[in-house]
Amino acid sequence: MAVQSKELPPWGYAVAGATGAVIANALVYPLDIVKTRLQVQVKRDPGATDTNPADGQHYTSALDAIGKIVKDDGVPGLYAGMAGSLIGVASTNFAYFYWYTVVRGLYLTSRQLSKPPSTAVELSLGAVAGALAQLFTIPVSVVTTRQQTQPRGERKGLFDTGREVVNSEDGVSGLWRGLKASLVLVVNPAITYGAYQRLREILFSGKQNLRPWEAFLLGSLSKMLATVATQPLIVAKVGLQSKPPPAREGKPFKTFGEVMLYIIEREGVLGLFKGIGPQITKGLLVQGFLMMTKERMELLFVVLFSYLRKIRTEKLQKVADMAADKAKSVAPITTK
């Protein structure tokens, strides 16, 4: 990312990151629906068939899920909860990139380093930024996950779904359901952006501005590494935030460890990696488009800020010249 090289304020990087994330997620949103549906379907009991609490369907693959969703709900079914999801994506990425820029800038300033931080430091800085971002944005994630997994006849809007969460047995705290899992999952963006920085230094050393395909490649590779490493936690987080499976008779999960144990008992360890196909595909495309768009947005902001600074300098110079001319005109009077 080279966040210090382009000399933008933190909000500039935050807007660039949020814009890239919204565009990227809007392009591949159906994959988000598919991976969420695959991740919440669990076996009711050993030997039974996987069913999805949203519609009672059993999905054997990502393509099978797409076909059945379109058959039941039409093409709009692939975009259920999209508005809330994009709001969550925008807020999460704005917060992440803002805090990442601030935290990384403070670290570099305090240490006065002559070379980029180590991989361990990059991961730590990313984790701190991710934790701060999650605290402020997880309610939107909870509501969006609930929307994506609601049965067709029970689907509600963003705010109505939020009220449903608040009116449940957890109360307002239900909006932060899965917070512990989310805080653990900050290792995902930490690995992603730590790997992005390291791969950039290895593959494109000394290059300040990346071409679109270069940013796409780095974003995709870094996200793939992070997804494989954290998939069990991603599945557990989705289980925490969605409605409990029928076998639990309405009793919600309390911890992501409880979700993981429930899945392992019914589906084995590989159940923790269900939905990894669309998860990785979505991650590759989203992160690739995100970083590609973010790099372009940062360059656009650099040009815009340079232009605004130039205009401001010219105006200040004009004011200074006018003041100097006025001073010259009154000088003979004041010296008499």
Side-chain angles (χ1 to χ4, degrees):
M1 283 185 294
V3 292
Q4 271 67 39
S5 62
K6 297 189 181 82
E7 298 180 352
L8 289 178
W11 68 264
Y13 293 105
V15 171
T19 302
V22 168
I23 293 174
N25 279 273
L27 290 173
V28 300
Y29 186 77
L31 285 174
D32 196 34
I33 288 283
V34 170
K35 67 94 179 172
T36 301
R37 294 285 184 91
L38 286 171
Q39 289 169 355
V40 297
Q41 69 175 14
V42 294
K43 293 179 180 178
R44 295 186 176 183
D45 54 64
T49 308
D50 286 3
T51 55
N52 189 291
D55 49 22
Q57 287 278 17
H58 166 61
Y59 306 132
T60 58
S61 66
L63 290 178
D64 181 54
I66 291 174
K68 288 179 177 176
I69 291 172
V70 172
K71 181 180 178 181
D72 293 341
D73 300 338
V75 174
L78 294 174
Y79 295 88
M82 182 174 176
S85 177
L86 293 185
I87 291 173
V89 163
S91 59
T92 300
N93 281 273
F94 182 94
Y96 179 84
F97 284 109
Y98 180 88
W99 288 114
Y100 180 81
T101 306
V102 170
V103 171
R104 193 170 190 268
L106 290 173
Y107 177 82
L108 294 178
T109 301
S110 64
R111 298 287 178 166
Q112 297 182 344
L113 300 176
S114 58
K115 60 181 181 180
S118 65
T119 301
V121 170
E122 288 286 9
L123 292 175
S124 299
L125 295 176
V128 171
L132 290 170
Q134 285 295 328
L135 288 173
F136 293 101
T137 61
I138 194 173
V140 181
S141 175
V142 171
V143 174
T144 299
T145 299
R146 183 66 65 88
Q147 280 187 300
Q148 292 178 339
T149 56
Q150 284 173 332
R152 181 173 52 179
E154 299 178 17
R155 287 177 190 161
K156 304 178 181 66
L158 182 67
F159 294 106
D160 288 336
T161 304
R163 279 195 289 269
E164 180 184 85
V165 174
V166 172
N167 292 333
S168 67
E169 65 177 69
D170 291 330
V172 176
S173 65
L175 292 173
W176 277 266
R177 173 170 284 278
L179 177 60
K180 291 181 180 178
S182 295
L183 291 178
V184 173
L185 272 171
V186 299
V187 298
N188 188 292
I191 293 172
T192 300
Y193 296 111
Y196 184 91
Q197 289 281 55
R198 191 59 59 227
L199 289 171
R200 179 171 184 164
E201 292 164 12
I202 295 172
L203 300 177
F204 305 107
S205 179
K207 198 167 185 179
Q208 180 173 336
N209 299 317
L210 299 178
R211 295 175 182 176
W213 73 267
E214 293 171 338
F216 185 95
L217 175 64
L218 290 182
S220 297
L221 290 175
S222 59
K223 190 62 178 180
M224 181 175 65
L225 294 172
T227 299
V228 172
T230 60
Q231 180 67 8
L233 293 175
I234 293 172
V235 172
K237 178 187 174 186
V238 171
L240 273 174
Q241 294 179 341
S242 62
K243 281 189 174 181
R248 290 182 63 85
E249 300 178 347
K251 182 182 178 182
F253 293 106
K254 297 298 183 182
T255 66
F256 63 92
E258 187 180 359
V259 180
M260 294 171 74
L261 183 61
Y262 182 86
I263 293 172
I264 291 173
E265 288 176 348
R266 285 159 177 76
E267 304 171 60
V269 176
L270 290 180
L272 297 175
F273 292 87
K274 58 187 175 182
I276 194 170
Q279 182 83 45
I280 288 181
T281 303
K282 179 206 169 191
L284 292 177
L285 295 174
V286 166
Q287 199 65 30
F289 284 126
L290 189 160
M291 299 313 297
M292 182 174 69
T293 306
K294 180 177 180 293
E295 290 283 338
R296 298 301 99 187
M297 288 294 296
E298 287 179 0
L299 288 175
L300 178 63
F301 277 132
V302 168
V303 173
L304 177 61
F305 286 0
S306 297
Y307 177 70
L308 293 176
R309 279 194 291 266
K310 181 181 179 182
I311 292 178
R312 184 168 178 267
T313 301
E314 289 176 351
K315 286 185 177 180
L316 290 175
Q317 186 61 49
K318 186 176 181 179
V319 171
D321 291 341
M322 291 175 62
D325 291 340
K326 185 175 181 180
K328 289 179 181 178
S329 65
V330 302
I333 300 175
T334 56
T335 54
K336 289 181 180 180

